[in-house]
């Protein structure tokens, strides 16, 4: 890419010019313009998963556990029930699963439907957040402020890009471990894709930095109220019980993830042909197989510096606003619900915002408008860029809705309790070491069906907690084993919106991501099973 004789700012703000676009958000996942046949798109993968799960529900009998006064399942109370759904009703559940996955409401009876009264179960909040993020990316990228800034930073880092990877991954992992930082990472693709490209790294490096950084932290949660908090509440133990072991696991897995991504990034930087995901380009006219982006201007204008300041403020405010500070540092903590992002038993600090997707969506919309005003864009251009940015995010939005729809199918066919009952039978009557190992393993397929950490914990822990007493295993250790299995599955599950949505935003195919991540998954699985097995044997 060559630079113009005019200042980058003037060229970008010219009404007749075509601004550089945000990182591609196509759901096809290969990041290229080629039409060759290959691995199916993310939308197709999730469509196949939804049909496969629906077919399975035709053969899995409906069943139900009794619940206590708090709504927790009672171990040993499972009974099969006659399904009230006809075959036509089941077909309707499949066809309407994307709609229910978008804005379905769960009622007091546990059924999800758009006509219900109750709490929002669908992912419409995430979808609106993604669209607003696309608008902000489109407007801010049109000023070329980020493009020039990351080129300057990349030039300064030189061969020390690994430091940036390490710092970002440790930060994301820490946030994931303490407050479940995951979906919020969508906003950082706009920053890291061009930054990694400027340093000489590819798309997969950015994906690995974001996904493994955040999800390894969530997997090795220490005081995360949305996983450990809920599980501890259901098991009736303190959220701090077992934190020593969880800190050790977090340290080991985070270090492993950082080294894994840095090793891959350095290999790609030395030899671009080793890239799995292809390289990001602001022009989007490459086939993803070429080397890093060409040199761009590295000096920002006054307007671009203002845009950078606004961008930094928006992203920092986003992080600050979603952290449940009182649940992490307060004297009292409790379980949390990631449907409404509220923590029970924790009185908010005076500075705590407790924002979630509605507020975050408006934050990015307002941020886009402020950037447009500061950059002196005309009304038509600003509105056009906002519309274009939202359009670019339709692919990831569809993927997120489909993933949520899979959970709706299992929920509404009343087959989820039957799956839980099978898990209960598997872990009953085993030794301590075998029990913790099985707990981690059997919760992996359950995490595929229930990606929500709080939802998974709410269903599984009331069953696992009493069983751990019979096996002679501390309940806190059972919680850790449960969380390891849940988190490991979420690192590659196509029903996890953090993975499948992030790949769609980055323009990386799911098959390519699996090719990249499988060695890490194998090593992490062995380490986790060894650690929890040994801990159970010696406790």
């Amino acid at each position: 890419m060559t630079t113009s004789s005019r200042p980058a700012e003037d060229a970008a703000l010219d009404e007749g010019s075509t601004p550089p676009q945000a990182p591609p958000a196509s759901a096809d996942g290969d990041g290229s313009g080629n039409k060759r046949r290959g691995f199916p798109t993310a939308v197709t993968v999730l469509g196949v998963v939804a049909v496969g799960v629906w077919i399975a529900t035709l053969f899995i009998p409906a069943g139900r556990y009794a619940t206590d006064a708090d709504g927790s399942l009672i171990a040993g109370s499972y009974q099969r029930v006659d399904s009230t759904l006809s075959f036509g009703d089941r077909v309707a559940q499949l066809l309407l699963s994307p709609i229910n996955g978008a804005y379905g409401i769960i009622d007091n009876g546990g059924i999800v439907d758009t006509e219900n009264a109750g709490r929002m179960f669908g992912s419409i909040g995430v979808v609106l957040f993604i669209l607003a993020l696309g608008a902000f990316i489109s407007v801010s990228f049109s000023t070329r402020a980020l493009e020039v800034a990351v080129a300057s930073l990349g030039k300064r880092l030189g061969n020390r890009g690994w430091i940036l990877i390490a710092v970002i991954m440790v930060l994301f992992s820490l946030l994931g471990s303490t407050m479940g930082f995951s979906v919020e990472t969508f906003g950082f693709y706009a920053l890291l894709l061009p930054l990694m490209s400027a340093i000489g790294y590819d798309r997969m490096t950015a994906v690995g930095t974001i996904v493994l950084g955040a999800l390894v932290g969530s997997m090795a949660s220490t005081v995360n109220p949305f996983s450990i908090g809920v599980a501890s509440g259901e098991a009736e133990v303190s959220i701090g019980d077992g934190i020593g072991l969880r800190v050790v696991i977090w340290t080991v897995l985070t270090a492993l993830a950082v080294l894994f991504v840095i090793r891959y990034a350095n290999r790609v930087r030395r030899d671009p042909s080793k890239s799995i995901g292809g390289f990001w380009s602001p022009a989007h006219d490459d086939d993803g197989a070429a080397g890093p982006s060409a040199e761009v201007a590295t000096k920002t204008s006054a307007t671009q510096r203002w845009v950078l300041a606004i961008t930094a403020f928006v992203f920092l405010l986003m992080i600050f606003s979603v952290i449940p500070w009182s649940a992490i540092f307060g004297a009292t903590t409790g379980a949390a619900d990631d449907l409404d992002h509220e923590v029970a038993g924790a009185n908010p600090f005076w500075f705590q915002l407790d924002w979630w997707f509605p507020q975050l969506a408006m934050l990015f919309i307002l941020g886009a408008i402020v950037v447009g005003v500061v950059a002196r864009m005309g009304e038509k251009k600003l509105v056009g860029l906002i519309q274009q940015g939202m359009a670019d995010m339709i692919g990831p939005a569809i993927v997120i809705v489909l993933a949520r729809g899979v959970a709706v199918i299992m929920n509404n066919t009343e087959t989820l309790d039957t799956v839980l009952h099978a898990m209960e039978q598997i872990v009953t009557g085993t030794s301590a070491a075998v029990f913790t190992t099985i707990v981690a393993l059997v919760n992996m397929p359950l995490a595929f069906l229930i990606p929500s950490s709080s939802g998974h914990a709410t269903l599984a822990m009331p069953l696992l907690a009493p069983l751990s007493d019979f096996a002679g295993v501390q309940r806190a250790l059972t919680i850790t084993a449960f969380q390891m299995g849940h988190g490991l599955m979420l690192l590659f599950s196509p029903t996890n919106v953090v993975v499948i949505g992030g790949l769609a935003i980055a323009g990386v195919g799911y098959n390519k991501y699996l090719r990249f991540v499988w060695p890490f998954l194998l090593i992490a699985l062995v380490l986790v099973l060894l650690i929890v097995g040994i801990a159970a044997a010696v406790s």
Side-chain angles (χ1 to χ4, degrees):
M1 177 177 178
T2 58
T3 56
S4 170
S5 57
R6 295 187 299 166
E9 173 195 4
D10 295 337
L13 300 182
D14 191 325
E15 286 286 348
S17 64
T18 301
Q21 303 304 314
S26 64
D28 60 11
D30 64 0
S32 71
N34 294 338
K35 301 301 182 181
R36 62 181 182 276
R37 293 184 179 181
F39 193 81
T41 66
V43 171
T44 303
V45 169
L46 279 170
V48 171
V49 168
V51 172
V53 168
W54 178 80
I55 292 175
T57 62
L58 297 177
F59 301 96
I60 300 175
R64 191 178 301 134
Y65 277 96
T67 58
D68 59 19
D70 296 326
S72 299
L73 305 185
I74 300 175
S77 65
Y78 171 82
Q79 289 184 341
R80 289 191 178 183
V81 298
D82 293 329
S83 175
T84 59
L85 299 177
S86 66
F87 182 76
D89 294 331
R90 292 178 179 271
V91 172
Q93 288 295 330
L94 173 64
L95 297 179
L96 292 175
S97 62
I99 309 302
N100 286 325
Y103 62 96
I105 298 171
I106 187 167
D107 61 17
N108 292 332
I111 300 300
V112 178
D113 191 86
T114 58
E115 303 298 326
N116 287 344
R119 292 191 308 161
M120 179 61 65
F121 186 87
S123 297
I124 188 64
V126 185
V127 169
L128 292 176
F129 168 68
I130 289 291
L131 296 180
L133 173 63
F136 181 81
I137 291 172
S138 178
V139 174
S140 60
F141 263 71
S142 71
T143 68
R144 298 186 63 180
L146 290 173
E147 181 185 352
V148 175
V150 298
S152 176
L153 180 58
K155 187 175 181 179
R156 293 180 182 180
L157 286 173
N159 295 325
R160 296 171 295 173
W162 64 270
I163 299 177
L164 179 69
I165 294 175
V167 170
I168 293 174
M169 290 190 69
V170 171
L171 174 61
F172 281 12
S173 181
L174 183 62
L175 291 171
S177 179
T178 55
M179 50 78 65
F181 186 77
S182 55
V183 179
E184 299 89 340
T185 59
F186 287 157
F188 289 89
Y189 285 94
L191 303 178
L192 290 189
L193 281 169
L195 180 54
M196 293 301 178
S197 177
I199 300 173
Y201 301 142
D202 66 346
R203 299 171 189 263
M204 193 65 76
T205 303
V207 169
T209 300
I210 295 174
V211 172
L212 292 187
L215 292 187
V216 163
S218 296
M219 174 183 174
S221 291
T222 51
V223 292
N224 177 6
F226 300 99
S227 55
I228 300 299
V230 173
S232 298
E234 296 292 343
E236 299 180 345
V237 298
S238 168
I239 194 173
D241 288 353
I243 192 172
L245 177 62
R246 293 198 292 268
V247 169
V248 171
I249 294 175
W250 176 82
T251 303
V252 171
L253 291 182
T254 300
L256 175 65
V258 170
L259 293 174
F260 179 80
V261 174
I262 289 177
R263 180 176 178 271
Y264 169 82
N266 288 339
R267 185 170 72 245
V268 169
R269 197 171 193 272
R270 289 192 302 267
D271 184 0
S273 66
K274 300 293 185 181
S275 170
I276 297 177
F279 288 85
W280 179 84
S281 170
H284 305 327
D285 56 1
D286 61 89
D287 62 0
S293 301
E295 189 71 19
V296 298
T298 57
K299 185 176 181 180
T300 56
S301 66
T303 298
Q304 289 172 332
R305 286 192 290 272
W306 273 108
V307 172
L308 292 174
I310 295 169
T311 301
F313 173 78
V314 167
F315 277 88
L316 289 174
L317 180 58
M318 177 189 72
I319 295 174
F320 176 85
S321 67
V322 299
I323 296 178
W325 296 100
S326 60
I328 299 173
F329 299 109
T332 59
T333 60
D337 187 345
D338 59 8
L339 285 180
D340 52 24
H341 205 241
E342 293 183 355
V343 182
N347 297 321
F349 293 143
W350 64 269
F351 58 82
Q352 189 169 322
L353 296 177
D354 286 331
W355 286 4
W356 202 222
F357 291 120
Q359 294 86 355
L360 295 181
M362 283 311 304
L363 172 64
F364 279 102
I365 290 293
L366 292 175
I369 294 173
V370 172
V371 168
V373 172
V374 169
R376 300 186 296 278
M377 296 179 184
E379 178 268 338
K380 290 184 179 179
K381 180 176 181 180
L382 176 58
V383 172
L385 287 170
I386 290 175
Q387 291 174 337
Q388 179 179 313
M390 289 186 172
D392 287 341
M393 289 296 180
I394 290 297
I398 293 174
V399 165
I400 290 168
V401 166
L402 290 175
R404 193 63 165 171
V406 174
V408 174
I409 293 174
M410 289 294 298
N411 181 83
N412 287 359
T413 54
E414 295 187 293
T415 51
L416 193 55
D417 280 11
T418 303
V419 176
L420 287 169
H421 177 61
M423 183 184 72
E424 180 186 10
Q425 292 180 312
I426 291 173
V427 300
T428 301
T430 58
S431 65
V434 173
F435 177 83
T436 54
T437 301
I438 293 179
V439 165
L441 292 176
V442 300
N443 276 285
M444 291 180 64
L446 197 58
F448 174 88
L449 300 173
I450 316 172
S452 164
S453 57
S454 61
H456 187 174
T458 300
L459 290 173
M461 286 313 302
L463 306 179
L464 294 177
L467 292 176
S468 66
D469 296 336
F470 292 116
V473 177
Q474 297 176 0
R475 292 189 173 193
L477 182 56
T478 300
I479 292 172
T480 301
F482 148 79
Q483 181 59 29
M484 293 301 103
H486 177 86
L488 191 62
M489 172 56 74
L490 293 194
L491 286 172
F492 67 98
S493 173
T495 58
N496 182 11
V497 298
V498 178
V499 171
I500 208 72
L503 293 176
I505 295 173
V508 173
Y510 180 65
N511 60 320
K512 294 181 179 179
Y513 174 73
L514 292 180
R515 178 182 163 195
F516 161 77
V517 81
W518 77 262
F520 175 82
L521 296 175
L522 184 60
I523 297 171
L525 174 62
V526 173
L527 283 176
V528 164
L529 295 182
L530 281 176
I531 293 174
V532 298
I534 293 173
V538 302
S539 64

